[in-house]
Amino acid sequence: MKLLIAVVQDQDAGPLMQRLVDQGFGATKLASTGGFLRQGNTTILIGLEDAQVDAAVECIRRTCRHRRQAAAGAGDVEVGAATIFVLRVDRFERI
């Protein structure tokens, strides 16, 4: 079992959640804030079987986009589409 944690831009969160649900993935959406530009982003938690990880990552890859954004004192910078962590889960219970 795996826990996939994806930190995505707020603009991508709604479409990504819809795509994940359409593909049969259960996900939890959490509001979060990034440090670099101090802007809102969304952290999405997805519990998966090992064999589902690649399909979930592909959903994220197809939905989330890089963007150019103005940063004070730095001009335009490219902000990431998503940051993904995949962690091993020793135990999972749904209560």
Side-chain angles (χ1 to χ4, degrees):
M1 182 125 237
K2 303 287 187 194
L3 172 63
L4 188 149
I5 302 170
V7 181
V8 304
Q9 294 178 24
D10 280 343
Q11 301 95 315
D12 294 326
L16 176 57
M17 287 297 289
Q18 186 62 55
R19 179 169 269 172
L20 289 167
V21 168
D22 290 347
Q23 295 292 318
F25 295 110
T28 299
K29 184 172 104 170
L30 306 171
S32 51
T33 302
F36 179 60
L37 296 175
R38 294 185 194 98
Q39 294 188 340
N41 54 35
T42 300
T43 300
I44 297 175
L45 308 175
I46 310 166
L48 304 162
E49 296 298 331
D50 292 2
Q52 297 176 299
V53 171
D54 290 339
V57 170
E58 187 60 25
C59 280
I60 296 166
R61 185 174 283 121
R62 289 178 179 267
T63 307
C64 299
R65 303 283 179 241
H66 285 92
R67 293 178 175 81
R68 305 260 337 140
Q69 191 162 336
D76 282 355
V77 296
E78 186 173 278
V79 292
T83 301
I84 302 169
F85 303 90
V86 180
L87 309 169
R88 184 177 46 122
V89 174
D90 291 328
R91 182 174 174 171
F92 169 80
E93 289 185 39
R94 186 169 299 185
I95 299 173

